[in-house]
């Protein structure tokens, strides 16, 4: 089986699997929700499905990933804003999505077009140099420390220990998301190292939640969801190692 055929069937597998998990997670919440809440859930589910499509398209280096991604992050940011206006948390996530993730979709679209991506073609991927990799690692470590102390200062839900595990499990995927998105927008192969990090840390976080509450079917669904994302990110790394072999 050649690479193109493998990617086609693998993408179908990931799309179907993650779509099924998203639908299942939404169905669990639809029952007890009021009519307005049901519409919100349906819109959020649509946004999640756009995120699924974006991750699969990005693994193959297709520029349409930024259309799907724009819908995903815009809807998620709007949902967070609605939650905040209703008295729940979410303002920080709304600001992060509207001021960072939304603009980065537009940056990525422009950058990938400059790197020869159009229609069904794949982006001319590139790799970080040695000093750039060190810089990315330094930004990750420093950013994680700063974010930890900020979140730990205001997060009263985490256990009051020397190292708050719950905060660590929030910070690590956050930093991987931020750096992964930047590297993705500028078409660097190393983005996939950070996407793999996002998925591994998220699986661990939800596994801890499931261990604390074995009856939590919601946590189990998210473990399955991020397991599919992890498989997709591993395939993305494989593809982008090939796409970045020829420097442009």
């Amino acid at each position: 089986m050649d690479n193109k055929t493998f990617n086609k069937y693998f993408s179908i597998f990931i799309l179907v699997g993650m779509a099924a998990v998203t639908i299942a997670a939404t169905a669990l919440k639809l029952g007890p929700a009021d009519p307005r809440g049901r519409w919100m859930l349906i819109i959020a589910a649509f946004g999640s499905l756009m995120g699924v499509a974006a991750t699969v398209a990005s693994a193959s280096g297709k520029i349409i990933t930024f259309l799907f991604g724009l819908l995903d992050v815009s809807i998620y940011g709007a949902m967070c804003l609605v939650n905040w206006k209703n008295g729940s948390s979410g303002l920080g996530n709304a600001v992060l999505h509207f001021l960072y993730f939304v603009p980065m979709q537009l940056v990525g679209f422009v950058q990938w077009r400059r790197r020869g991506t159009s229609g069904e073609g794949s982006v001319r991927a590139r790799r970080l140099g040695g000093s750039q990799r060190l810089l990315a690692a330094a930004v990750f470590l420093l950013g994680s420390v700063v974010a930890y102390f900020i979140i730990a200062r205001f997060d009263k839900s985490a256990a009051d220990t020397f190292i708050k595990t719950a905060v660590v499990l929030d910070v690590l995927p956050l930093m991987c998301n931020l750096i992964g998105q930047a590297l993705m927008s500028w078409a660097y192969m190393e983005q996939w190292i950070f996407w793999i990090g996002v998925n591994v840390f998220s699986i661990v976080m939800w596994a801890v939640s499931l261990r604390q509450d074995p009856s939590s079917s919601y946590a189990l669904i998210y473990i399955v969801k991020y397991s599919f994302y992890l498989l997709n990110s591993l395939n993305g790394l494989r593809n982008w190692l090939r796409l970045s072999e020829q420097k442009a």
Side-chain angles (χ1 to χ4, degrees):
M1 183 183 297
D2 61 25
N3 187 66
K4 184 176 181 180
T5 303
F6 174 83
N7 277 333
K8 175 183 177 181
Y9 287 109
F10 187 84
S11 295
I12 292 172
F13 166 71
I14 294 295
L15 282 170
V16 171
M18 291 200 291
V21 173
T22 300
I23 293 171
T26 303
L28 281 176
K29 297 180 181 179
L30 279 176
D34 57 38
R36 181 175 179 273
R38 289 176 182 175
W39 277 109
M40 297 290 288
L41 285 170
I42 291 171
I43 294 171
F46 174 75
S48 295
L49 291 174
M50 293 299 98
V52 170
T55 60
V56 172
S58 66
S60 298
K62 306 300 184 184
I63 197 169
I64 197 172
T65 186
F66 294 107
L67 172 60
F68 295 135
L70 182 61
L71 291 169
D72 174 31
V73 298
S74 297
I75 290 173
Y76 187 77
M79 293 297 103
C80 290
L81 194 59
V82 169
N83 281 339
W84 173 69
K85 287 185 176 180
N86 289 336
S88 302
S89 61
L91 180 60
N93 262 324
V95 171
L96 178 64
H97 277 73
F98 284 125
L99 296 187
Y100 180 73
F101 287 111
V102 168
M104 290 303 285
Q105 306 308 307
L106 305 178
V107 170
F109 180 82
V110 172
Q111 290 296 320
W112 283 32
R113 283 295 297 271
R114 289 179 178 175
R115 299 193 64 76
T117 312
S118 61
E120 295 297 318
S122 298
V123 67
R124 296 200 311 272
R126 50 188 170 180
R127 301 184 186 185
L128 295 174
S131 59
Q132 291 173 316
R133 290 182 180 180
L134 289 175
L135 177 61
V139 169
F140 174 75
L141 292 174
L142 180 60
S144 296
V145 171
V146 172
Y148 174 84
F149 283 109
I150 292 174
I151 295 176
R153 173 69 177 79
F154 295 100
D155 188 351
K156 302 303 182 183
S157 63
D160 190 17
T161 57
F162 180 69
I163 297 294
K164 297 183 177 182
T165 304
V167 176
V168 171
L169 292 176
D170 277 341
V171 166
L172 294 179
L174 170 65
M175 290 307 302
C176 284
N177 259 310
L178 292 174
I179 299 175
Q181 179 63 68
L183 294 176
M184 174 185 172
S185 294
W186 272 276
Y188 282 103
M189 175 275 295
E190 286 79 2
Q191 62 168 297
W192 293 103
I193 296 172
F194 290 96
W195 294 137
I196 289 170
V198 169
N199 298 320
V200 169
F201 293 136
S202 296
I203 290 170
V204 172
M205 180 181 70
W206 286 108
V208 170
S209 178
L210 183 62
R211 183 178 180 181
Q212 294 172 343
D213 181 11
S215 65
S216 175
S217 57
Y218 194 70
L220 181 60
I221 284 175
Y222 271 93
I223 291 174
V224 176
K225 175 181 177 179
Y226 280 104
S227 295
F228 275 107
Y229 273 115
L230 178 59
L231 290 174
N232 185 68
S233 59
L234 291 170
N235 187 53
L237 178 60
R238 182 188 67 84
N239 276 331
W240 280 62
L241 282 169
R242 179 180 55 84
L243 292 172
S244 61
E245 285 178 350
Q246 294 182 338
K247 295 183 178 180

